[in-house]
Amino acid sequence: MNPAIPAPPSHLTLLAVALAACWSPAMADEGRVVIEGQRQHYRSLSVTGATKLDTPLSDLPQSVRVITGELLDDAGVTTLAGALDLASGVSRQSNLGGLWDSYALRGFTGDPNFGSDYLVNGFSSSRGYNGVRDGANTDSVEVLKGPASALYGRGEPGGTVNIVTRKPRFTPGTTIDAGVDRYGGRRAAIDLTGPVSENVAYRLNAAIDSGDSFRDHVDHERVLVAPSVVWLIGDATTLSYEVEAVQQRTPFDRGVVAVNGELGLIPNSRFLGEPDDGKVTVKSVGQQLFVRHELNAGWSLQGGVSYRDSSLRGFSSQLNDIGADGRTARRQRRLNDWYSVDRSGRIEAVGRFATGGVKHHVLAGFDAYAFDDDRIQLRRNPGADMPYAIDLYQPVYGGVAAPLALSVSTRERQRSRAVYLQDQLDLAPRWKALVGVRRDSYDQTVVNRRLARASTQSLGATSPRVGLVYQPLPTLSLYASAAEGFRPNSGISLDNAAFPAESSRAYEAGAKIDSADGKLGATVALYRITKDNVLTVDPRNTDYSVPAGAVASKGVEVDVAGDLARDLRLSLAYAFTDAVVT
């Protein structure tokens, strides 16, 4: 079966109201300068070209696509999936029946047990069950191509996605947005910001999105509430706190079925689950606390913690196979009850200095995370006499499956610690280099409670990275880079064994060209990536996985973005990706 990937809804904005008033002209100007600096700081912590340093993208030996909030607004994008459609090398993947975001970057999709990896303000925010991400509190989306393990540790070699959230401002403002789509969907969002005092400001983003889809019996309800606050503690210290609370309810929908390997024999709208199963509920609450302190003109300390708990619970009926008549399909009924807690933190020193004629932009840091995941699954496999079956061409709903039995009951515990160091060097007016290395230590324990067995492993990984940039013209940068990465695999095999971690190696070369006025930029990148120990479905039991061996990807990408003229913005993306199991 192919996953059901709904076309992005074409929202028609019905109302957009922006209100602004001055709290105090002097305070507003001062606060705006500080907050804009803090906002840029958040960008530098996450990507700003991939180094966590405030350096131009043209100085970095890597392809980076920054999808701005202005572009997202112009394109009417309200989800992460819609934003990533605007970047080259990104393609949508199986989204677990519409329950979370899933995409491939340069041909690599990530852990099938969870949605695809992404960061929020530089913190991993995809471990666990977080639903389809709404864009109501998104300021920009940064797509960092190639491995980022030298900075962020575990991750996909195809690239890293970071979401920069909207920050509080000291200038009051209110924006209300509402819309409908062609499937009867309804969406409303509000954005409130302003000062609480001379050194404290708040922001509140909220959205509600509900409606049907092009799939029969498939609708959705999503709610997001995201308050945040920033506190300017003196002249050198800034503290911020953010919350994201999400609830999503939608039926589990595996998608369109291919009959005898052929698509199109049944309508794309045909739902082959069971409407009486009801909706699967996803809940997620994330919190982030971040502090930055300026030591002097050249050095600063920054650090933060993140806490997120999430859950997924609901019934589903999924096709198992199709009978010899080519129209009667057996179905398997399930109950999934999953819960996770993810805690992470980091502290970093950022500075710059010179040795001889070489300028250094240095980042040194330590981070750690603790992730706990509990999964319970009840299911009933169909028997040979085709109980709980459905006709593909004339479906009749209301079937009753046999009582469910416990099939999966696991508890996984992950603990990770890492140190990292990165130096961006200005070697000469036209030459720049980037070197970095990170060392991760990782412990994993998976307990199979149904079998009363446990599997434990400890892993270590060193992730180096090196790159070189040559700038023959002020508007042209030529670059080349090489990097290694890793990614621990979650879960256990059918034989109750933990999986080895994925390991990857990537090479990239490219060119970055900017217009003379800096309003339009383009990046062309060539790459080759190899990865080992990739998981795939175990043919002995499709509820389990096995390491498939090696996968390789190579390709070319083109990204062009900027302003062509007043009120005319361009966003162009092209990619050719050749990914194969080797």
Side-chain angles (χ1 to χ4, degrees):
M1 289 182 292
N2 290 335
I5 304 177
S10 54
H11 286 276
L12 172 65
T13 301
L14 300 181
L15 176 65
V17 180
L19 305 174
C22 289
W23 176 264
S24 164
M27 185 194 69
D29 290 341
E30 179 184 357
R32 182 163 51 249
V33 170
V34 175
I35 291 302
E36 288 302 328
Q38 174 71 355
R39 188 175 181 178
Q40 177 62 32
H41 165 64
Y42 266 90
R43 188 180 297 275
S44 70
L45 282 178
S46 48
V47 176
T48 302
T51 65
K52 293 190 178 183
L53 301 174
D54 189 12
T55 53
L57 296 179
S58 58
D59 291 352
L60 302 171
Q62 195 163 19
S63 174
V64 178
R65 176 76 161 99
V66 179
I67 305 169
T68 64
E70 291 80 4
L71 177 57
L72 296 176
D73 290 340
D74 290 346
V77 171
T78 60
T79 63
L80 174 60
L84 295 180
D85 287 340
L86 300 173
S88 67
V90 186
S91 57
R92 299 193 187 194
Q93 300 295 303
S94 175
N95 56 7
L96 194 68
L99 297 182
W100 54 41
D101 289 301
S102 184
Y103 54 84
L105 250 172
R106 292 183 169 177
F108 298 100
T109 58
D111 191 335
N113 293 293
F114 303 101
S116 293
D117 291 341
Y118 60 82
L119 309 173
V120 175
N121 300 322
F123 287 101
S124 177
S125 298
S126 57
R127 289 187 292 261
Y129 316 102
N130 300 297
V132 175
R133 185 170 179 88
D134 194 279
N137 67 329
T138 297
D139 182 73
S140 62
V141 177
E142 302 165 323
V143 183
L144 169 65
K145 307 292 185 66
S149 291
L151 276 182
Y152 296 109
R154 54 173 287 161
E156 280 300 300
T160 299
V161 172
N162 179 69
I163 299 163
V164 179
T165 57
R166 295 175 176 174
K167 307 303 176 190
R169 292 176 176 269
F170 281 80
T171 301
T174 300
T175 301
I176 301 172
D177 182 80
V180 298
D181 66 30
R182 54 184 169 176
Y183 302 115
R186 301 165 300 279
R187 174 183 171 81
I190 189 168
D191 182 3
L192 305 173
T193 189
V196 176
S197 66
E198 289 188 356
N199 57 357
V200 177
Y202 80 96
R203 193 154 196 162
L204 174 64
N205 294 106
I208 181 168
D209 194 320
S210 64
D212 296 325
S213 71
F214 72 95
R215 301 278 294 165
D216 299 335
H217 305 288
V218 177
D219 58 357
H220 72 275
E221 305 166 9
R222 290 196 297 268
V223 178
L224 165 71
V225 179
S228 59
V229 64
V230 63
W231 179 19
L232 310 180
I233 310 173
D235 297 331
T237 307
T238 303
L239 181 147
S240 65
Y241 174 65
E242 302 185 17
V243 178
E244 289 182 342
V246 176
Q247 179 171 292
Q248 171 184 297
R249 299 182 71 243
T250 187
F252 189 97
D253 177 23
R254 269 301 188 191
V256 181
V257 65
V259 182
N260 296 323
E262 184 178 353
L263 285 170
L265 297 182
I266 62 174
N268 287 343
S269 61
R270 181 68 43 82
F271 177 64
L272 297 171
E274 188 58 52
D276 288 343
D277 285 338
K279 294 181 173 65
V280 176
T281 300
V282 175
K283 295 181 180 180
S284 174
V285 178
Q287 303 175 68
Q288 292 184 1
L289 178 69
F290 196 84
V291 179
R292 175 181 171 93
H293 178 70
E294 301 287 346
L295 297 174
N296 52 46
W299 288 88
S300 64
L301 289 176
Q302 55 198 26
V305 292
S306 174
Y307 179 92
R308 184 178 295 269
D309 64 78
S310 59
S311 63
L312 182 154
R313 191 179 193 280
F315 289 92
S316 63
S317 297
Q318 306 177 37
L319 262 62
N320 213 61
D321 54 25
I322 300 174
D325 62 359
R327 66 181 302 152
T328 305
R330 297 192 302 169
R331 296 183 299 177
Q332 180 189 94
R333 192 163 190 260
R334 297 183 179 185
L335 169 63
N336 291 328
D337 191 355
W338 301 339
Y339 176 76
S340 71
V341 177
D342 189 16
R343 302 152 298 241
S344 59
R346 69 172 184 260
I347 184 169
E348 296 167 332
V350 181
R352 58 183 183 271
F353 61 91
T355 55
V358 178
K359 296 180 181 179
H360 301 264
H361 306 267
V362 177
L363 168 77
F366 168 83
D367 66 26
Y369 79 83
F371 177 65
D372 296 297
D373 181 43
D374 280 87
R375 291 192 174 207
I376 296 176
Q377 183 185 92
L378 282 69
R379 74 166 182 260
R380 176 61 62 184
N381 285 317
D385 55 350
M386 303 290 278
Y388 204 49
I390 193 167
D391 190 313
L392 298 178
Y393 297 97
Q394 295 180 332
V396 176
Y397 302 107
V400 178
L404 302 180
L406 180 66
S407 63
V408 175
S409 179
T410 62
R411 170 170 293 173
E412 180 169 356
R413 180 179 183 269
Q414 300 178 12
R415 300 293 184 267
S416 178
R417 306 151 302 281
V419 293
Y420 47 96
L421 177 65
Q422 180 174 272
D423 188 5
Q424 183 175 330
L425 304 94
D426 296 338
L427 302 174
R430 296 185 179 183
W431 289 93
K432 303 180 188 300
L434 178 67
V435 293
V437 66
R438 176 181 170 114
R439 178 63 185 177
D440 283 84
S441 299
Y442 174 85
D443 300 312
Q444 178 189 38
T445 300
V446 182
V447 178
N448 188 331
R449 292 174 294 201
R450 188 172 67 90
L451 301 178
R453 298 172 62 183
S455 175
T456 301
Q457 66 173 343
S458 296
L459 306 171
T462 300
S463 304
R465 177 186 181 201
V466 62
L468 188 64
V469 178
Y470 173 59
Q471 297 171 329
L473 300 171
T475 58
L476 175 63
S477 297
L478 307 177
Y479 71 89
S481 65
E484 295 183 359
F486 82 104
R487 194 181 199 285
N489 282 312
S490 296
I492 54 176
S493 69
L494 182 60
D495 304 318
N496 201 61
F499 300 114
E502 297 176 347
S503 61
S504 59
R505 181 170 295 182
Y507 304 93
E508 181 176 337
K512 301 178 183 181
I513 307 170
D514 294 316
S515 62
D517 58 7
K519 293 183 178 181
L520 187 66
T523 300
V524 179
L526 301 170
Y527 66 88
R528 176 173 174 79
I529 304 172
T530 58
K531 185 166 74 165
D532 296 323
N533 299 324
V534 182
L535 296 186
T536 189
V537 173
D538 190 335
R540 300 172 298 171
N541 187 325
T542 58
D543 292 324
Y544 291 87
S545 299
V546 293
V551 176
S553 175
K554 59 184 178 181
V556 58
E557 296 170 345
V558 179
D559 284 284
V560 183
D563 297 329
L564 296 177
R566 181 178 179 181
D567 300 326
L568 183 61
R569 181 173 289 120
L570 172 67
S571 175
L572 182 148
Y574 168 81
F576 173 80
T577 305
D578 180 14
V580 296
V581 175
T582 56

